[in-house]
Each structure stands twice: as structure tokens, then as C-alpha cells.
Amino acid sequence: MILNMLKLPVYLDHNATTPCDPRVVEAMLPFFSLQYGNAASRNHSFGWQAEEAVNQAREQIASLIGAHPKEIIFTSGATESANLALRGAFETYLSKGNHIITTTIEHKSVLDTCRHLETVGGKLTILPVNTKGLVDPDEVEAAITPETILVAIQFANNETGTIQPVKQIGEIAKKHGVLFFSDATQATGKIPVNVISADIDLMSFSAHKIYGPKGSGALYVRRKNPRVKLKAQILGGGHENNLRSGTLNVPGIVGFGTACALAAIEMDIIATTTSCLRDRLENAFIATNHATVNGSRTSRLPHVTNISFTGIEAEALIMGINKNIAVSSGAACTSATIEPSHVLKALGLNDQQAFSSIRFGLGKNTTDEEIDYTIKLVSETVNNLRSIAHSAITA
Ligand SMILES: *Cc1c(COP(=O)(O)O)cnc(C)c1O
């Protein structure tokens, strides 16, 4: 008989990062110490081997998103990819216009970059979302002006998992001759993502969110209908079609490629199993813990749920469980103060509701036992915190 032993702590923060799949690590290992060549070295077998491995990874990554390998630009991660896409497009198309449309719920890598562009001559429209966290494609269309060069809207949200109507948004952007950039860091490898069917022109994504290594990401840059031009942000040997100079991170790229190849095969089954576990966790909290789910429950990623526990401070709840369960509150620490999540605020939550929210991010290795344990420990801790609050009031 196989005993499924519960190993603590339980990791439920897979939207922050994922463990490297052992098959990814295995694929990467030779490229540290045996095949350590520089992929740009043209004169010997070390370089050729590295280049061949990079080419294979480029094909694996392109294939996962329906792109051509030449449309994949390697970067250090999705943050750098978003910077290259937004700043690179802004500088290239400034003669055409300076207007960018984005949303209130973007990841900071997109929002902060857009805000920077505002300080160097850009004009920004930041569209709201509805209470389910969804952007209205009609509002995107209404915001387009003759000055608009780019629409920057994420594929799926990192805090709530809400999936945007990217297909409709892509269609609108195309119709108006405006570029469509999408941050697909959370969606790629978890649900089908196809740059052709969604009319995406630029797309950022990252290896470490899909069981690959940290420090390895990509930007998809469309080469046909239209051919997207970008101004490079990092100059030096002209690597990556002159868009991103610097010696390629060959082990990281090989790991990224392997992670994409595995995701292509296993994504559907993982989505089914994790969404079952996620629904069980969520329903248990809704049934017993005065909990509400933030974001859309229909248009969302399979492995994440963001829950508000009424009357509870998420930081106190996390302090009560974080020895044994790793989760995240949406709140971000900016210097000394804790700010409520800008995403939850955009959904219409007040500060108190936003501060009572916790994100549970499941992964492909999450087990039944881990979910049982999480339901039990979180429920106990919530009840304890409520009775403390109650006795403080009645004392
Ligand atoms: C993690 C994440 C990023 C940043 O990715 P890095 O590779 O860590 O720079 C950007 N956007 C979203 C939606 C993310 O979840």
C-alpha cells in the first residue's frame, strides 16, 4: 500500500513561481558543464551545440503559442519582455501616435512601464474592469483614437486568474490598425494560448511560472500581418535579431523549451485535476467560512482562487498558517506601508475587503491530502481569529 504522506509546508503560491520540473532540470544540466558553449560562437562545435539547443527550444516555445520560431525573442523574464514590448513599440511608432490603452489590473511590469512612458511624452488610457475583473471590449474600441498605437491588456490575471476576452480585443485592435500587446505570463502553459487566433502582436511570458527556471523569458514579436518593429532596449552584439543583445542563457532557454514541450502535452490533464482540487477548496470555504470569491468564476485559470474571508485580516490569517502553508495576500509592501491590492480595488473591493483576501495558487503536484489539510488549518485559524475578535468586542 502506498501511504500518501503529507509533507509540510504545503506550497500554494504557484502564481508567484513554480518548482522546476525534474525533467526540465535534467535537460538543462549538460549545458552548465559539458555543452557550455556560447550560442553565438560560430567557429567550433561548442558554439554549434549550444546554438542547436537554443534553436530546438525556440521551436518548442513557438509551437506552444502558435508562433514561428523566428518570432521568439529570448529575455530574462516577463518583466523584461514587457519593457521591450512597450518601450520598444512606443519609441518605434511615436511618429504615428503616442496613445496607449491599458487596464487597471495589469501586472506592475506593464503598469509601471506604461506610467514611465507617460513621463516621456506618452498619453495613457487606463480602462476599468467590472466587478468580475473583466475588461469590456466595447470600451477598448471606444478608447481608440487616431493617436492610438498600442493596446496592452493581459491574457489572465496573476491575483484572481480572471481570463480577459483577448480574442475580441485582438480583433478590435486589428480592425483599427493598432498593435495588441498581451502579458500572457499566467496563461501560457496553463490554458491554450494562440497568438494567431487571438490576433496578438506582442506577448510576454516566462519560464518560471510553468515549471521552468527563473531568469528565462520570451517576447513574441509578430513578423507578418503586420510585421512589428521594436527599438531594442539593450544594446551590444546584436543578438536576437538585434532586439536583445547579450550572451544567451543557454541552460535557461533549454529549460524553458522543455517546460513548454511538457506543458503542451500535459496542460489539459493538469487543468482538469487542479481545477477539481481548487473547486473543492473554494467550496469548502464558501460553505463554512463566510468567504467570497474575487473575480470571474467562469472565465478564469484552472489553478487559482482568490478568496475574501469576511472580517478577517489576511496578514493575521497568513501569520497563523505560514509555518505550514505558503500562500499570498494580494497586498504589496511598498517601503514601510502595506498597500491593498490594486487588482482587488479595481474590482470594487474596499480596503478592508481587499486586506481580507488570500490567493491560493495550486500546482500540478498539489495533492488531495494537501487540500484537505489546507481546508482544515485555514478554517480553524479563521474561526480562532473570529472568536478573538468577537471576545474583544463583547469584553
Ligand atoms: C510573474 C509575472 C510577471 C513577471 O514575470 P518575471 O518573469 O518574474 O519577470 C509578469 N506578469 C504576470 C502576469 C506575472 O504573473
Side-chain angles (χ1 to χ4, degrees):
M1 192 177 86
I2 300 165
L3 263 182
N4 247 329
M5 289 286 288
L6 181 67
K7 230 179 94 221
L8 295 177
V10 175
Y11 185 76
L12 291 179
D13 203 10
H14 287 87
N15 297 74
T17 195
T18 58
C20 249
D21 187 294
R23 294 166 291 181
V24 168
V25 177
E26 197 185 328
M28 290 171 71
L29 281 176
F31 295 93
F32 287 103
S33 50
L34 296 169
Q35 293 160 249
Y36 49 81
N38 184 326
S41 295
R42 288 286 144 80
N43 300 319
H44 48 70
S45 63
F46 294 89
W48 304 331
Q49 279 175 350
E51 193 192 13
E52 189 176 319
V54 166
N55 285 343
Q56 191 196 338
R58 213 185 284 281
E59 277 170 27
Q60 291 167 317
I61 295 162
S63 157
L64 181 67
I65 62 164
H68 188 277
K70 283 189 174 158
E71 296 176 312
I72 301 297
I73 303 300
F74 287 117
T75 67
S76 64
T79 301
E80 188 194 326
S81 298
N83 271 266
L84 174 56
L86 294 164
R87 301 163 95 138
F90 181 76
E91 289 173 22
T92 305
Y93 296 97
L94 195 54
S95 57
K96 185 182 166 238
N98 66 345
H99 182 224
I100 294 171
I101 298 168
T102 187
T103 78
T104 46
I105 56 160
E106 297 304 309
H107 187 268
K108 287 289 163 79
S109 59
V110 174
L111 263 185
D112 287 354
T113 307
C114 285
R115 290 208 182 99
H116 164 76
L117 293 176
E118 216 176 7
T119 69
V120 293
K123 203 167 158 283
L124 206 57
T125 298
I126 305 182
L127 293 175
V129 293
N130 67 14
T131 54
K132 296 288 169 213
L134 289 162
V135 177
D136 181 350
D138 289 341
E139 286 187 34
V140 176
E141 184 153 34
I144 294 175
T145 74
E147 301 296 305
T148 309
I149 49 174
L150 184 84
V151 171
I153 298 179
Q154 64 188 204
F155 207 112
N157 188 264
N158 48 303
E159 292 189 37
T160 59
T162 303
I163 301 167
Q164 296 302 330
V166 281
K167 217 179 152 116
Q168 286 153 274
I169 296 167
E171 229 173 74
I172 289 166
K174 196 179 188 78
K175 188 172 102 187
H176 291 271
V178 170
L179 294 179
F180 178 30
F181 162 69
S182 190
D183 171 3
T185 313
Q186 290 290 342
T188 308
K190 308 286 170 52
I191 56 169
V193 167
N194 188 295
V195 291
I196 304 290
S197 72
D199 285 317
I200 292 171
D201 299 307
L202 293 158
M203 189 175 92
S204 54
F205 53 118
S206 189
H208 76 99
K209 302 283 172 88
I210 57 167
Y211 307 95
K214 292 164 187 63
S216 180
L219 179 67
Y220 159 76
V221 184
R222 183 179 281 275
R223 280 172 74 96
K224 260 205 314 229
N225 313 312
R227 183 183 182 89
V228 178
K229 292 201 202 108
L230 295 177
K231 195 81 167 274
Q233 301 297 308
I234 296 179
L235 310 176
H239 307 73
E240 295 298 274
N241 201 21
N242 268 323
L243 281 179
R244 203 278 194 175
S245 290
T247 301
L248 290 179
N249 170 6
V250 178
I253 288 166
V254 167
F256 194 5
T258 307
C260 287
L262 292 173
I265 299 164
E266 298 171 357
M267 168 163 61
D268 290 349
I269 178 81
I270 293 168
T272 307
T273 51
T274 51
S275 67
C276 270
L277 291 173
R278 187 269 316 271
D279 292 348
R280 195 155 72 73
L281 179 77
E282 186 175 273
N283 289 329
F285 290 145
I286 293 170
T288 58
N289 278 316
H290 310 295
T292 52
V293 175
N294 297 316
S296 171
R297 289 186 77 181
T298 46
S299 179
R300 67 167 162 172
L301 297 174
H303 63 293
V304 58
T305 180
N306 189 303
I307 296 181
S308 290
F309 294 93
T310 313
I312 296 289
E313 276 198 30
E315 294 303 313
L317 176 51
I318 288 174
M319 290 249 278
I321 63 172
N322 69 4
K323 220 179 102 217
N324 297 315
I325 301 174
V327 291
S328 165
S329 74
C333 293
T334 8
S335 61
T337 58
I338 299 177
E339 301 275 342
S341 148
H342 72 283
V343 172
L344 299 180
K345 295 279 284 182
L347 268 60
L349 274 67
N350 61 33
D351 280 10
Q352 200 194 358
Q353 289 167 324
F355 279 131
S356 75
S357 305
I358 288 187
R359 176 182 71 188
F360 297 87
L362 286 66
K364 63 180 178 180
N365 302 317
T366 304
T367 63
D368 263 314
E369 290 75 15
E370 288 177 333
I371 294 303
D372 289 337
Y373 178 80
T374 303
I375 292 170
K376 187 164 167 287
L377 186 64
V378 170
S379 300
E380 282 172 9
T381 311
V382 166
N383 290 340
N384 281 342
L385 289 168
R386 287 221 173 98
S387 63
I388 292 167
H390 185 73
S391 53
I393 291 165
T394 52

